Amino acid sequence: MKGSWRALLVAGLLAALTPAGASAQDPQWARATQFADKPPIAFGAAWYPEQWPEERWKTDLALMKKAGFNTVRIGEFAWSTIEPREGEFHFEWLDRAIAAAQRHGIMVVLGTPTAAPPAWLTQKYPDVLRVDEDGTRAGHGGRRQFSFASARYRRFARDIATRLAERYGHNPDVVGWQIDNEIGPPSFDPEAVALWHAFLKQRYGDIDTLNRRWATEYWSQHYNTFDQVPLHATGQQNPALLLDFKHFTTATWTSYVMNQANAIRAHADPRQFVTTNTMFWNGGFNHFALHRGLDIAAWDDYIQDANPDWIANGANHDLVRGYKQRNFWLMEAQAGRIDWVPVNRALKPGQVREMGWQAIEHGADAVLYWQWRSARNGQETYYGTVLGQDGEPNPIFGEIAKLGGELQATSAALGGTEPVAKLAFIYSYDSRWAIDLQRLNRNFDPIREFTDFYRPFRIQSQGVAVVSPQADLSRFPLVVAPALNVLTQAEADHLAAYVRAGGHLVLGPRSGMKDDADAVWPERQPGPLEPLLGAQVEQFYALDEPVGVTGDFGAGKASIWAEWLDPQAKDVRILARYTDPGGWLDGKPAIVTRPVGKGSITYIGAWLDPDLLASVAHALLDQSGIAPIVPNADPDLEIGERAGEGKRVLIVINHGDSAHPVALPKGARPIAGTIVDGQIAAHDVAVFRLGN
Ligand code: GLA
């Protein structure tokens, strides 16, 4: 066991630190399942049959059919029902639940139950329990109380995953697997510490290299051996250590997930996908790396204040799609209300359907609600659900059923299609983490900055892909990296090659500052891309109040962060300058660009206000030949296209509270929803076929 455990760790480590392989669109995955006889778009809910008397199941399943469901996700927290005592297994109820779903024409995604170990397990083997950074050991009664580094826990996880796969790996109604549930919390137990040391040794080879790359002469941090390096996620530590902690969690979670993925694949039909469900902008590990060994990505989308910012939410969908550059599953969607924020208001009428369609537009091939019905007791009884406590439909049922009907009506058109992205945004976990570790301006939230940059490009282009810094960029005429703070030489070479091949690259503020051990490059920003840009950042400034910016795109403001750019090469053009009377930035270049063959590299040195950024986006999209599908659409309107297999589908969503006109492309034929007198109503959706 020990050998394979180490091998898995190394595999995880390599996955975490080596560039992604091929990442082109992969149309084979542009259907909910790889089973040709199953629906191409999945619609359903998390269902917990173990929480209800069996006599009730058929009523539930019949109601699901009424809602247009064709999928249930089951089993994910059922360990104590499957194995109530060590070595005593009860799968019969699960056999019957799957068979009952099958009788109703409902396909199944099976969860491995490892997010919720039974009491006997943690009581008999307390060494598997997670330990917090402050040394507190977790106990039973919640979930995720295991250590991601525990070899014993992995043995139990592998065993239960194997048994499930042996039993259901060839069940034609089980279309896929979800490993664990929302993995995330790390552990600081002794096994994790030992693994941390092994990880660092694997990464740096010898301690001198670690000392050099972390600059440990500073504050007498020098280490004589790897064993001396403390395991920390927070606190007054060297940010290099804290960034490597993220690399460590990536490697450890990757090997944790692959332990189960390998167990499943050893027994399962390869058409059954293997995935795990991730969370909103979760920064606990590098999701690009973790997904390399999985078939598809899946995530859980909750709108915390029930007031969706459609662009921020859409950016997260695009990010999830980007993990594999394949269509994904929305494994959990909000059936109205959540229960974990101070005021858990419900989405407005129409918004549940609207958010379902948004997921589809961004490349989801599945929308599953959490959850069907709340257990009669437990931590989540107040959650928004499809059914009420009496087992009858809640008011949201009608809206969900409407979406279900629409998905049935459009699934032939949608099956095999993928979202059409006109440009790519680069999302870098290392950059996000490095900025978060040393913000300099506390208001520099890297997610907000990413979203602010993404916003005008999404509105104006109506299709953006989000990709890793190593992804194949060749199919995108324009690539924007809003804050590529950590930039390795290999990534810089990759981006330079893209530009030399005719691509237009745009870097945002704070780009090219650090290497992947969080050390500053000896060159000024953008570090290894400075020669290509022919300009450098003379100095950067955290702003407590906005400064003016004027130039080719009009006048506006920069706030939070501004960099004084210094052109070195003759062919660098200054596109905008700061106006900052009496300040350091006055008259200094804020945006520069340089042609490179048919391509170009542009550096935006500041966090610009929305209007100015919208003008910049307009000019850059124009330069790259990118035009919207529906011109002059109101920013409340989300427009997107899915295409593939000779089909084109246009999805129009009005996220606003009032009606808006839509200038449809010629020949658009409605297949779901309506537009009356050229207007789409508030919180409404309309779907069209385009082309022949
Ligand atoms: C997560 C979990 C679910 C449920 C929801 C509630 O997404 O995966 O089991 O707890 O949160 O928000």
Side-chain angles (χ1 to χ4, degrees):
M1 189 63 209
K2 206 159 182 218
S4 68
W5 156 236
R6 276 288 145 89
L8 276 167
L9 172 72
V10 172
L13 169 68
L14 294 178
L17 302 178
T18 52
S23 52
Q25 300 271 95
D26 206 345
Q28 164 198 0
W29 291 93
R31 287 180 176 274
T33 92
Q34 298 296 294
F35 291 85
D37 59 336
K38 298 290 184 208
I41 304 291
F43 189 55
W47 180 45
Y48 299 95
E50 70 275 21
Q51 295 171 6
W52 302 98
E54 259 186 72
E55 310 83 78
R56 168 73 201 184
W57 293 356
K58 56 179 183 313
T59 311
D60 279 327
L61 291 159
L63 280 167
M64 288 183 203
K65 283 307 279 182
K66 241 176 137 177
F69 285 6
N70 55 27
T71 308
V72 284
R73 184 180 60 140
I74 62 180
E76 54 171 348
F77 297 116
W79 199 337
S80 67
T81 313
I82 295 172
E83 190 182 2
R85 274 162 291 276
E86 187 171 1
E88 180 189 321
F89 292 93
H90 294 280
F91 288 109
E92 308 74 29
W93 68 272
L94 198 49
D95 298 347
R96 290 194 296 274
I98 295 170
Q102 185 273 330
R103 280 195 298 278
H104 289 81
I106 288 180
M107 55 189 176
V108 172
V109 173
L110 257 189
T112 65
T114 50
W120 60 258
L121 198 164
T122 52
Q123 196 174 37
K124 184 165 172 196
Y125 308 104
D127 55 291
V128 307
L129 286 166
R130 186 168 52 77
V131 173
D132 283 343
E133 195 171 1
D134 67 2
T136 312
R137 196 171 273 275
H140 191 75
R143 54 181 171 175
R144 304 188 190 102
Q145 65 268 41
F146 64 89
S147 164
F148 69 162
S150 164
R152 190 197 301 281
Y153 195 71
R154 289 181 185 213
R155 279 199 295 276
F156 275 107
R158 194 177 177 89
D159 179 63
I160 192 98
T162 301
R163 286 171 192 273
L164 284 163
E166 280 171 348
R167 202 167 181 103
Y168 305 110
H170 290 275
N171 184 315
D173 297 299
V174 174
V175 296
W177 296 84
Q178 174 195 299
I179 292 169
D180 210 280
N181 178 276
E182 295 190 342
I183 55 166
S187 183
F188 299 82
D189 60 285
E191 263 181 291
V193 173
L195 216 45
W196 165 240
H197 295 146
F199 168 84
L200 291 174
K201 189 158 187 327
Q202 181 77 34
R203 175 152 163 74
Y204 292 107
D206 58 73
I207 196 69
D208 292 346
T209 306
L210 179 146
N211 280 310
R212 183 173 48 77
R213 297 208 57 200
W214 288 14
T216 55
E217 293 77 16
Y218 176 78
W219 284 1
S220 193
Q221 289 168 27
H222 187 89
Y223 299 105
N224 297 329
T225 62
F226 285 107
D227 294 356
Q228 290 177 333
V229 185
L231 175 60
H232 277 293
T234 57
Q236 222 199 18
Q237 283 294 331
N238 188 335
L241 180 152
L242 297 175
L243 185 64
D244 269 335
F245 174 78
K246 295 290 194 181
H247 298 146
F248 168 67
T249 55
T250 299
T252 309
W253 278 122
T254 300
S255 62
Y256 174 85
V257 164
M258 290 315 294
N259 174 48
Q260 294 190 42
N262 294 338
I264 292 167
R265 286 183 178 141
H267 301 283
D269 184 326
R271 288 175 297 176
Q272 293 180 337
F273 65 76
V274 180
T275 189
T276 188
N277 56 330
T278 58
M279 296 174 274
F280 193 67
W281 294 113
N282 175 24
F285 51 86
N286 180 330
H287 288 52
F288 292 108
L290 184 114
H291 282 85
R292 274 176 214 147
L294 298 175
D295 296 315
I296 56 165
W299 79 293
D300 303 340
D301 184 10
Y302 293 107
I303 315 294
Q304 298 205 18
D305 60 358
N307 204 358
D309 170 348
W310 73 262
I311 297 176
N313 202 61
N316 205 150
H317 279 308
D318 289 345
L319 172 63
V320 174
R321 191 172 189 287
Y323 299 155
K324 300 288 306 174
Q325 294 205 41
R326 285 178 184 169
N327 285 4
F328 60 94
W329 277 51
L330 185 60
M331 215 45 115
E332 295 182 15
Q334 184 166 336
R337 164 186 78 221
I338 58 171
D339 78 343
W340 39 268
V341 295
V343 179
N344 294 281
R345 56 180 288 266
L347 288 167
K348 290 179 190 164
Q351 279 184 319
V352 165
R353 168 175 170 253
E354 174 186 323
M355 299 315 285
W357 270 112
Q358 183 189 39
I360 299 283
E361 184 187 302
H362 286 260
D365 280 339
V367 176
L368 267 51
Y369 291 98
W370 201 89
Q371 60 169 322
W372 177 241
R373 183 180 179 185
S374 288
R376 291 205 49 227
N377 217 327
Q379 282 89 327
E380 297 177 304
T381 42
Y382 276 109
Y383 218 86
T385 49
V386 188
L387 298 192
Q389 66 262 50
D390 56 357
E392 296 294 323
N394 269 331
I396 199 64
F397 187 97
E399 190 176 318
I400 288 176
K402 178 174 179 183
L403 174 57
E406 289 173 340
L407 290 176
Q408 274 166 9
T410 54
S411 79
L414 288 167
T417 64
E418 299 177 295
V420 177
K422 321 272 185 55
L423 71 152
F425 260 60
I426 291 180
Y427 183 78
S428 153
Y429 281 91
D430 270 6
S431 298
R432 165 183 173 180
W433 292 326
I435 290 172
D436 261 340
L437 287 166
Q438 293 174 299
R439 282 193 177 189
L440 199 70
N441 183 337
R442 68 175 175 171
N443 296 321
F444 201 109
D445 172 350
I447 308 275
R448 230 195 87 205
E449 195 254 3
F450 182 89
T451 310
D452 276 7
F453 268 75
Y454 170 97
R455 194 176 295 278
F457 286 92
R458 178 58 176 84
I459 291 174
Q460 295 178 40
S461 71
Q462 301 174 350
V464 176
V466 176
V467 299
S468 80
Q470 299 95 14
D472 174 12
L473 303 170
S474 55
R475 71 191 166 94
F476 302 108
L478 175 63
V479 171
V480 183
L484 197 52
N485 192 243
V486 170
L487 179 65
T488 64
Q489 185 65 54
E491 288 162 358
D493 294 346
H494 175 58
L495 294 174
Y498 162 75
V499 171
R500 291 203 181 94
H504 297 287
L505 174 67
V506 180
L507 299 173
R510 303 186 79 149
S511 289
M513 185 74 176
K514 302 266 187 92
D515 70 15
D516 64 343
D518 207 38
V520 287
W521 280 104
E523 303 83 25
R524 295 192 180 197
Q525 290 165 259
L529 279 177
E530 191 263 322
L532 188 74
L533 180 65
Q536 64 182 26
V537 173
E538 181 64 10
Q539 185 56 282
F540 49 84
Y541 298 91
L543 304 179
D544 59 353
E545 43 186 63
V547 297
V549 178
T550 53
D552 289 21
F553 314 108
K557 300 256 178 243
S559 56
I560 302 176
W561 195 270
E563 290 167 346
W564 157 359
L565 293 165
D566 181 18
Q568 315 268 309
K570 285 212 178 64
D571 53 350
V572 173
R573 273 188 58 217
I574 297 167
L575 301 179
R577 291 179 185 271
Y578 299 102
T579 47
D580 179 28
W584 285 107
L585 288 160
D586 201 30
K588 302 297 187 249
I591 306 175
V592 300
T593 192
R594 187 187 196 192
V596 181
K598 286 190 176 148
S600 67
I601 176 168
T602 301
Y603 194 105
I604 302 173
W607 191 331
L608 304 174
D609 73 67
D611 289 343
L612 186 55
L613 198 52
S615 316
V616 174
H618 184 79
L620 291 167
L621 288 165
D622 203 41
Q623 175 192 29
S624 310
I626 297 169
I629 317 161
V630 175
N632 306 317
D634 186 277
D636 279 348
L637 296 189
E638 176 162 16
I639 317 270
E641 182 182 335
R642 285 180 55 143
E645 298 181 354
K647 298 177 278 191
R648 291 179 62 202
V649 177
L650 174 71
I651 299 171
V652 180
I653 305 170
N654 184 356
H655 293 284
D657 289 327
S658 53
H660 291 292
V662 189
L664 286 173
K666 260 210 184 100
R669 301 182 304 285
I671 49 174
T674 44
I675 286 187
V676 180
D677 298 335
Q679 299 259 334
I680 181 161
H683 299 293
D684 206 354
V685 179
V687 185
F688 304 86
R689 258 192 200 268
L690 298 178
N692 305 318

